[in-house]
């Protein structure tokens, strides 16, 4: 007797026209994720069937919990369609259960001689007779024993495990994630992946004002996100010169606003070069001076690309809850300085004026600074299953 994992797609089944594409993308993602395991995956438009080596099951289920597009799954016994075999297996499964139960039969194979309701009753009776400690409750049972009788095989299972949901990564185009070492941006990356968006990431550093430890922290965070997608390209932008120029030449009140306008310009360029169609970041409305609606509007106006802010309307506590769930929180709170936290003026402007920004930026050679910085950007590819060593980067 063999066990298989039955995998239901959930949300993607609602997208009728795209269904095949979604299923195929999920299939490829699963193949990649499980490439080192002894598994065989087959699919139809309603679910996937995964055969496995018994001793690998725990490892495989852990990986299934990291794949977007899986609504839920069950570990099912796959047996033949003979009544006696089904009875025997049903008793075997139910002898370990306690409390209340019910039996539900789905008879896809109409040649099977007993109608679904009758068969459920029969099996239920048999279970009761052999397990006097169990009782039937058809409304709120502790255990539901599902019997699915198909043309070739029958599946028996009791427990349903919820998956991550969302869409398979890759059903959307690419997004460029602005990834700092903070709490918000990795969470935003996770939420974007959940919508099926492929990610590349960009990190601005200002060495020697920021440290190699700060960069390694961002590499670690990127690696944590690769759990949900197989690899992420990380673009590391040398931002020191721009920050020093702003600090020397611009009105300090406008320092942060102008710095973020520069970040946006560079990110848009990198996004276009790498065929990303949107920018994703961890801005959250009202969190700091540069994230008031007034600030966001003045910062956003230097680019044309859509900016997606998955945590824009979340409370910090809600963001932290997700950060803990995806295991980025402990890394994010390591106390290394980010380029956003150096050269911070005493009174950053909360309602910046666009004209004032433009006037300040006239003191900088914006176009050249942006181009040069993009040219000097270094890119590394971070993969889930590799030890990533990037010591030779500088
Ligand atoms: P925190 O969780 O402490 O708020 P944060 O990452 O959200 O950290 P903010 O200063 O709030 O930092 O910046 C808002 C957003 O701007 C970030 O979420 C991130 O998307 C982007 N950002 C900030 N600093 C950087 C950086 N050094 N490199 C890339 N993106 C950055
Ligand atoms: Mg933030």
């Amino acid at each position: 007797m063999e066990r298989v994992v039955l995998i239901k797609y959930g949300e993607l089944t609602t997208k009728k026209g795209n269904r095949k594409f979604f299923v195929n993308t999920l299939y490829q993602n699963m193949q990649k994720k499980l490439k080192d395991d002894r598994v065989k995956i087959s699919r139809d438009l309603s679910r996937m069937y995964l055969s496995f080596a018994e001793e690998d099951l725990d490892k495989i289920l852990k990986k299934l919990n990291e794949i977007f597009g899986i609504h839920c799954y069950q570990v099912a016994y796959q047996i033949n369609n003979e009544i006696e075999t089904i009875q025997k297996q049903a008793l075997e499964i139910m002898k370990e259960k306690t409390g209340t139960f019910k039996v539900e039969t789905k008879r896809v194979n109409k040649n099977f001689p007993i109608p679904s309701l009758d068969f459920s009753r029969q099996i239920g009776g048999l279970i009761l007779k052999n397990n006097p400690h169990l009782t039937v409750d058809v409304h709120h049972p502790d255990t539901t024993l599902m019997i699915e009788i198909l043309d070739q095989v029958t599946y028996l299972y009791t427990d349903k495990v919820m998956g991550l949901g969302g869409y398979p990564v890759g059903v959307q185009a690419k997004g460029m994630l602005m990834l700092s070492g903070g709490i918000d941006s990795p969470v935003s990356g996770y939420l974007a992946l959940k919508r099926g968006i492929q990610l590349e990431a960009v990190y601005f550093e200002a060495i020697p004002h920021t440290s190699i430890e700060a960069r390694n922290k961002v590499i670690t965070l990127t690696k944590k996100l690769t759990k949900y997608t197989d690899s992420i390209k990380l673009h590391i932008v040398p931002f020191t010169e721009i920050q020093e120029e702003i600090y020397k030449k611009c009105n300090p009140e406008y320092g942060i606003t102008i710095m973020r306008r520069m970040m946006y310009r560079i990110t848009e360029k990198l996004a276009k070069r790498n065929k990303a169609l949107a920018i994703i970041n961890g801005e959250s409305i009202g969190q700091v001076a540069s994230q008031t609606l007034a600030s966001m509007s003045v910062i956003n106006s230097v680019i044309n690309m859509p900016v997606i802010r998955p945590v824009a309307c979340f409370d910090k506590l809600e963001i932290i809850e997700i950060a803990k769930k995806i295991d980025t929180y402990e890394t994010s709170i390591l106390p290394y300085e980010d380029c956003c936290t150096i050269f911070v003026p005493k009174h950053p402007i909360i309602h910046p004026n666009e004209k004032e920004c433009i006037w300040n930026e006239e003191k900088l050679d914006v176009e050249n600074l942006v181009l040069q910085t993009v040219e000097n950007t270094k890119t590394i590819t971070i993969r889930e299953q590799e030890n990533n060593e990037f010591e030779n980067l500088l």
Side-chain angles (χ1 to χ4, degrees), residues 244-348:
E244 287 176 353
E245 282 277 290
I246 296 171
Y247 184 66
K248 268 188 258 158
K249 297 181 179 162
C250 300
N251 172 356
E253 277 191 357
Y254 272 75
I256 298 269
T257 314
I258 290 166
M259 179 193 78
R260 294 197 64 81
R261 281 160 65 99
M262 295 302 272
M263 278 186 169
Y264 266 53
R265 290 178 173 115
I266 291 168
T267 304
E268 186 190 45
K269 279 236 154 30
L270 286 169
K272 284 191 171 152
R273 282 194 179 188
N274 293 283
K275 302 194 167 55
L277 299 187
I279 292 171
I280 293 145
N281 69 29
E283 287 172 343
S284 186
I285 297 162
Q287 199 179 78
V288 287
S290 63
Q291 292 168 33
T292 61
L293 278 190
S295 282
M296 278 158 112
S297 143
V298 164
I299 292 164
N300 207 149
S301 70
V302 297
I303 62 165
N304 283 317
M305 196 173 264
V307 179
I308 296 169
R309 302 173 175 85
V311 300
C313 300
F314 284 18
D315 289 342
K316 193 76 189 187
L317 287 178
E318 293 170 318
I319 302 172
I320 289 175
E321 201 181 306
I322 302 176
K324 286 185 174 162
K325 194 181 87 183
I326 63 171
D327 188 36
T328 53
Y329 181 73
E330 293 300 327
T331 306
S332 290
I333 58 173
L334 294 173
Y336 306 121
E337 199 120 51
D338 179 56
C339 72
C340 277
T341 52
I342 56 174
F343 304 131
V344 175
K346 275 209 186 74
H347 304 290

Side-chain angles (χ1 to χ4, degrees), residues 173-193:
K174 212 186 285 168
M176 186 62 77
L177 171 68
M178 298 173 72
L179 186 61
S180 65
I183 297 166
D184 306 327
S185 46
V187 169
S188 295
Y190 170 84
L191 293 171
L193 287 166

Side-chain angles (χ1 to χ4, degrees), residues 131-377:
N131 299 279
H133 64 284
L134 293 174
T135 48
V136 171
D137 179 348
V138 291
H139 301 296
H140 304 289
D142 297 321
T143 306
T144 301
L145 174 65
M146 286 295 307
I147 305 177
E148 278 188 40
I149 305 165
L150 308 186
D151 288 336
Q152 309 294 334
V153 294
T154 292
Y155 292 118
L156 259 70
Y157 51 86
T158 53
D159 304 302
K160 179 166 97 177
V161 184
M162 297 312 287
L164 280 184
Y167 297 139
V169 174
V171 299
Q172 291 292 335
K174 212 186 285 168
M176 186 62 77
L177 171 68
M178 298 173 72
L179 186 61
S180 65
I183 297 166
D184 306 327
S185 46
V187 169
S188 295
Y190 170 84
L191 293 171
L193 287 166
K194 184 168 187 178
R195 298 272 56 88
I197 298 173
Q198 267 178 306
L199 284 188
E200 290 192 13
V202 53
Y203 166 60
F204 292 81
E205 65 178 8
I207 286 173
H209 311 293
T210 64
S211 62
I212 293 293
E213 283 84 0
R215 175 200 292 172
N216 286 338
K217 178 176 160 181
V218 172
I219 291 176
T220 305
L221 290 170
T222 310
K223 175 121 173 150
K224 285 183 187 280
L225 288 177
T226 59
K227 232 193 263 174
Y228 308 96
T229 174
D230 62 330
S231 68
I232 296 177
K233 269 191 189 164
L234 175 65
H235 305 280
I236 300 179
V237 180
F239 205 45
T240 316
E241 190 187 346
I242 291 181
Q243 284 203 274
E244 287 176 353
E245 282 277 290
I246 296 171
Y247 184 66
K248 268 188 258 158
K249 297 181 179 162
C250 300
N251 172 356
E253 277 191 357
Y254 272 75
I256 298 269
T257 314
I258 290 166
M259 179 193 78
R260 294 197 64 81
R261 281 160 65 99
M262 295 302 272
M263 278 186 169
Y264 266 53
R265 290 178 173 115
I266 291 168
T267 304
E268 186 190 45
K269 279 236 154 30
L270 286 169
K272 284 191 171 152
R273 282 194 179 188
N274 293 283
K275 302 194 167 55
L277 299 187
I279 292 171
I280 293 145
N281 69 29
E283 287 172 343
S284 186
I285 297 162
Q287 199 179 78
V288 287
S290 63
Q291 292 168 33
T292 61
L293 278 190
S295 282
M296 278 158 112
S297 143
V298 164
I299 292 164
N300 207 149
S301 70
V302 297
I303 62 165
N304 283 317
M305 196 173 264
V307 179
I308 296 169
R309 302 173 175 85
V311 300
C313 300
F314 284 18
D315 289 342
K316 193 76 189 187
L317 287 178
E318 293 170 318
I319 302 172
I320 289 175
E321 201 181 306
I322 302 176
K324 286 185 174 162
K325 194 181 87 183
I326 63 171
D327 188 36
T328 53
Y329 181 73
E330 293 300 327
T331 306
S332 290
I333 58 173
L334 294 173
Y336 306 121
E337 199 120 51
D338 179 56
C339 72
C340 277
T341 52
I342 56 174
F343 304 131
V344 175
K346 275 209 186 74
H347 304 290
I349 190 123
I350 294 175
H351 297 286
N353 175 313
E354 179 139 36
K355 281 207 186 102
E356 181 96 9
C357 291
I358 294 169
W359 181 76
N360 270 282
E361 283 170 355
E362 273 164 11
K363 300 176 206 163
L364 311 168
D365 185 355
V366 171
E367 204 174 314
N368 253 327
L369 280 172
V370 168
L371 271 180
Q372 247 179 46
T373 308
V374 169
E375 288 309 325
N376 293 334
T377 293

Side-chain angles (χ1 to χ4, degrees), residues 1 77 85-97 127 131 156:
M1 170 266 322
Y77 291 88
T85 319
I86 300 174
Q87 288 173 335
K88 227 172 103 195
Q89 192 59 51
L91 287 176
E92 186 62 30
I93 293 174
M94 293 305 293
K95 77 176 187 212
E96 281 151 22
K97 305 288 180 192
I127 290 168
N131 299 279
L156 259 70

